[in-house]
């Protein structure tokens, strides 16, 4: 049987244990409190970066409009796996840039350059508009044809009278042909494995 003295000793020990437990919990709380400001700092930095990016984009578009003397017509052209985002800038001087390069530097062969400039030549807008293109995917020929479709679509928005001549040459037609996918059990899209009699 526990005596009164042992009970009193136990009571004295319990508050000591509670004090130790409190001391252990307090540093943990302080650590959590220290971590919270770090996450908020990261969030603030991200917000500041987003604001900076938006400001830069707004300044770029404003500068483009001021430099080119007007707005642009955005269109999209596609061919095979290539996607061309075209901006036809009104009141230009005939400059064509593709992915930040002059079009004759990007498309190195004469045939591909002719494909790109053919809608402008047909409509007679070679020297009166500028074209800025962002193209990705596919091969070089598919990209050239995607750019041609995008420019043709932008010219129609600029002036509806160009539609007849561009349509006659087939520049407004979206060529939907693309590489057929390989099938399982076959060597290619349709090529079957060689049959062996024995």
């Amino acid at each position: 049987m526990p005596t009164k003295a042992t009970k009193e000793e136990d009571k004295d020990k319990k508050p000591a244990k509670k004090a130790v437990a409190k001391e252990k919990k307090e540093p943990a709380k302080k650590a959590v409190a220290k971590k919270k400001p770090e996450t908020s700092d990261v969030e603030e930095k991200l917000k500041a970066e987003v604001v900076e990016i938006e400001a830069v984009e707004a300044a770029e578009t404003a500068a483009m409009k001021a430099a080119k003397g007007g707005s642009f017509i955005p269109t999209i052209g596609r061919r095979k796996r290539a996607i061309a985002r075209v901006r036809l800038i009104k009141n230009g001087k005939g400059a064509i840039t593709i992915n930040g390069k002059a079009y004759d530097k990007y498309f190195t062969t004469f045939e591909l350059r002719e494909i790109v400039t053919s809608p402008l030549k047909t409509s007679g807008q070679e020297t009166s508009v500028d074209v800025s293109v962002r193209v990705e995917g596919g091969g070089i020929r598919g990209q050239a044809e995607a750019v041609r479709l995008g420019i043709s679509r932008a010219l129609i928005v600029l002036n509806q009278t160009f539609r007849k001549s561009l349509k006659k040459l087939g520049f407004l037609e979206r060529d939907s042909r693309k590489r057929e996918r390989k099938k399982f059990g076959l060597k290619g899209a349709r090529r079957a494995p060689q049959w062996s009699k024995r």
Side-chain angles (χ1 to χ4, degrees):
M1 288 244 353
T3 58
K4 288 182 181 179
T6 53
K7 282 182 182 177
E8 286 174 11
E9 286 174 11
D10 288 340
K11 285 179 185 177
D12 291 339
K13 286 178 184 175
K14 283 178 184 176
K17 286 180 183 177
K18 287 179 183 177
V20 170
K22 283 181 183 178
E23 285 174 11
K24 285 181 181 176
K25 287 178 184 176
E26 283 174 7
K29 287 179 183 177
K30 288 177 183 176
V32 171
K34 286 179 182 176
K35 286 181 183 177
K36 284 181 182 177
E38 288 175 12
T39 54
S40 63
D41 289 342
V42 171
E43 288 172 5
E44 287 173 10
K45 286 177 184 176
L46 288 172
K47 286 177 184 177
E49 285 176 8
V50 168
V51 170
E52 283 177 21
I53 290 166
E54 287 173 357
V56 168
E57 285 176 359
E60 282 177 1
T61 52
M64 186 189 287
K65 285 181 181 178
K68 302 299 178 186
S71 61
F72 58 84
I73 299 166
T75 54
I76 289 179
R78 293 186 180 91
R79 173 74 175 102
K80 293 187 177 179
R81 296 273 179 103
I83 300 169
R85 291 170 183 83
V86 178
R87 287 180 171 184
L88 189 83
I89 301 156
K90 302 172 188 176
N91 306 325
K93 296 178 181 177
I96 303 172
T97 57
I98 297 167
N99 290 353
K101 296 180 182 178
Y103 85 104
D104 54 342
K105 301 283 184 189
Y106 192 83
F107 295 114
T108 53
T109 62
F110 175 77
E111 188 181 359
L112 296 177
R113 289 181 205 154
E114 284 296 305
I115 287 170
V116 170
T117 56
S118 52
L120 296 169
K121 288 178 180 176
T122 304
S123 60
Q125 298 290 310
E126 298 177 82
T127 57
S128 56
V129 294
D130 287 348
V131 180
S132 175
V133 183
R134 191 81 188 160
V135 66
E136 57 188 19
I140 199 77
R141 179 172 288 277
Q143 287 186 353
E145 291 180 14
V147 170
R148 179 177 69 187
L149 178 60
I151 291 171
S152 301
R153 286 174 171 174
L155 286 168
I156 286 175
V157 175
L158 184 69
N159 191 344
Q160 279 288 327
T161 57
F162 300 144
R163 184 179 180 83
K164 192 173 181 181
S165 57
L166 292 170
K167 192 172 176 68
K168 191 175 181 181
L169 293 168
F171 294 161
L172 295 175
E173 201 172 313
R174 162 68 165 105
D175 195 344
S176 61
R177 295 174 299 168
K178 57 174 70 174
R179 184 186 177 92
E180 192 177 339
R181 61 151 288 190
K182 181 193 176 299
K183 278 75 173 190
F184 56 88
L186 301 180
K187 296 289 186 182
R190 302 186 184 192
R191 167 83 168 90
Q194 185 171 346
W195 177 77
S196 176
K197 188 172 183 179
R198 289 179 185 85

